[in-house]
Amino acid sequence: MQHYENLDVERQQDGVWIVTLNRPEKRNALDAATIEELVTLFSGAQAAGARAIVLAGAGDHFSAGLDLIEHHREDRSPEAFWQLCLRWHEAFNKMEYGGVPVVAALKGAVVGGGLELASAAHIRVADQSTYFALPEGQRGLFTGGGATIRVADLVGKARMIDMMLTGRVYQGQEAVDIGLAQYLVDGPSMDRALEIARRCAENLPLTNFAICSAISHMQNMSALDAAYAEACVAGIVNTQAPARARLEAFADKTGARVRPNK
Ligand code: 1HE
């Protein structure tokens, strides 16, 4: 079994994995080694049987983003940082397109590259301590881990530019309202994230694979090509053998009906 230095990986019986960024003394800042571990983990999770993943941070903060101390110490060349950013993209693309639902359990700082990481998850759960920001502008930096794609997609171009120019912080219901998280809870985000991950893990793996890869791919296509690709994916997913039992349950009225929340 793969060993990680900067991640704690707990594989539960039902296929739900809890992956925890484990550098709390550095506020889970993302150094190059952690990014490589995320590449390895998300590249292999589906084949290793993960049915859903909760991604969390140890300590009081989800992640403080790029390891600024390492970046300062390394005094990187443009080429070296370009290459490093491509490894961030490798990790986060494996996460978003890997076919396993990833639920981010957020708390404290979700900032800079930490927000880029969170935005590659499929579902984000915030608690009352969670706050989001892109402090790159103040630090003389720019985003390099996909924020121009994913954060802009979540909150829109104008809000992202405002966050970067002014350092604006979002939290609480406002963060949910603008799209940074889908859930806001009073207790620990981990509890709700686990509940959601377990619910996701009840879906058929091929269905989850399609949800957690095809939708993202289709966003990158023209509407015409996306419609064609959607038909192709549905052709495979909607005829899978394990779905027959679920259809049969609906037909014989033992299957759950969709009802409004009480
Ligand atoms: C770090 C980092 C880091 C903390 N890199 N070491 N990201 C930022 O600009 C966020 C920078 N961090 C902060 O604003 C604060 O540290 C926090 C709000 C996250 C937490 O505050 P606090 O008071 O709990 O902790 P602290 O005292 O600031 O930091 C504790 C330790 O964590 C300290 O190390 P120590 O060895 O002196 O104890 C800090 O140096 C360390 N630490 N954050 C390295 N980010 C692909 S491009 C992406 C671009 C970016 O992500 S830019 C980064 C944006």
Side-chain angles (χ1 to χ4, degrees):
M1 196 165 290
Q2 184 75 35
H3 174 75
Y4 298 98
E5 293 290 331
N6 302 317
L7 303 176
D8 179 68
V9 182
E10 183 190 328
R11 299 168 181 82
Q12 301 195 336
Q13 291 291 336
D14 54 1
V16 173
W17 291 11
I18 301 175
V19 176
T20 308
L21 303 168
N22 203 14
R23 299 177 77 216
E25 69 292 348
K26 299 295 176 194
R27 308 304 185 254
N28 300 315
L30 300 167
D31 62 355
T34 303
I35 293 296
E36 286 309 317
E37 293 192 359
L38 289 170
V39 171
T40 303
L41 182 114
F42 286 111
S43 301
Q46 196 261 340
R51 303 217 25 180
I53 294 173
V54 173
L55 180 65
D60 294 335
H61 300 278
F62 177 72
S63 172
L66 174 71
D67 190 319
L68 296 167
I69 305 294
E70 179 187 65
H71 185 58
H72 180 55
R73 190 182 60 234
E74 297 281 312
D75 195 19
R76 293 173 170 123
S77 66
E79 183 192 0
F81 199 69
W82 180 348
Q83 298 290 345
L84 178 66
C85 286
L86 290 179
R87 298 306 290 165
W88 281 56
H89 291 310
E90 181 73 8
F92 297 177
N93 288 340
K94 283 284 184 296
M95 202 173 144
E96 181 181 348
Y97 294 84
V100 178
V102 179
V103 185
L106 304 174
K107 60 181 156 179
V110 184
V111 303
L115 176 52
E116 295 182 301
L117 172 63
S119 67
H122 302 100
I123 297 178
R124 281 160 293 283
V125 182
D127 71 10
Q128 300 295 334
S129 73
T130 307
Y131 61 99
F132 302 88
L134 292 171
E136 283 88 340
Q138 281 75 57
R139 305 242 185 258
L141 304 174
F142 191 71
T143 59
T148 55
I149 303 138
R150 295 191 184 90
V151 177
D153 198 34
L154 291 178
V155 304
K157 180 176 70 174
R159 284 199 188 92
M160 181 184 166
I161 291 174
D162 177 26
M163 287 173 81
M164 289 199 68
L165 286 176
T166 67
R168 183 169 182 169
V169 173
Y170 283 102
Q171 62 200 76
Q173 189 57 45
E174 192 182 16
V176 175
D177 291 344
I178 69 162
L180 286 166
Q182 292 105 309
Y183 296 85
L184 176 66
V185 294
D186 286 326
S189 56
M190 173 55 79
D191 293 355
R192 179 67 68 84
L194 248 181
E195 206 179 280
I196 292 168
R198 291 199 176 114
R199 169 70 196 80
C200 294
E202 290 169 6
N203 298 336
L204 294 175
L206 184 63
T207 300
N208 278 346
F209 187 81
I211 295 167
C212 297
S213 65
I215 295 171
S216 291
H217 276 291
M218 283 156 192
Q219 296 295 307
N220 302 328
M221 299 176 191
S222 70
L224 195 65
D225 287 338
Y228 188 79
E230 185 189 73
C232 177
V233 171
I236 296 166
V237 174
N238 296 7
T239 57
Q240 63 179 314
R244 286 205 64 80
R246 294 179 182 222
L247 294 171
E248 200 173 305
F250 181 78
D252 70 17
K253 302 201 183 294
T254 58
R257 264 45 188 171
V258 183
R259 304 287 186 219
N261 295 326
K262 292 209 177 79

